[in-house]
Amino acid sequence: MHATTDNSVARIESPAGWSEMGERPDFREITVVTSGVLHVEAETGVHILPAGEAVICGYGEWMR
């Protein structure tokens, strides 16, 4: 097993239409969509992720 503090793991249940402020984390953030649809804004554009998909935000990469 490899332990690290470079990743973020959180469980969030958000209501439809909920939005979070943009950020540039100093860690890698992995978001897995377990139900519904997630709209992610990033420097590369807007990505729409259905349940079962995931997105990885790298160190210092802007996303909302």
Side-chain angles (χ1 to χ4, degrees):
M1 183 169 119
H2 175 69
T4 179
T5 58
D6 296 336
N7 298 305
S8 169
V9 178
R11 181 177 186 273
I12 300 172
E13 290 184 41
S14 57
W18 178 79
S19 182
E20 161 175 271
M21 292 180 61
E23 63 178 342
R24 282 187 191 278
D26 56 356
F27 49 83
R28 181 173 51 190
E29 185 168 300
I30 302 166
T31 303
V32 178
V33 183
T34 57
S35 66
V37 176
L38 176 67
H39 293 244
V40 177
E41 293 178 43
E43 292 172 318
T44 58
V46 176
H47 308 277
I48 300 172
L49 305 169
E53 296 289 322
V55 62
I56 299 172
C57 179
Y59 306 94
E61 185 177 6
W62 183 85
M63 72 176 288
R64 176 167 78 127

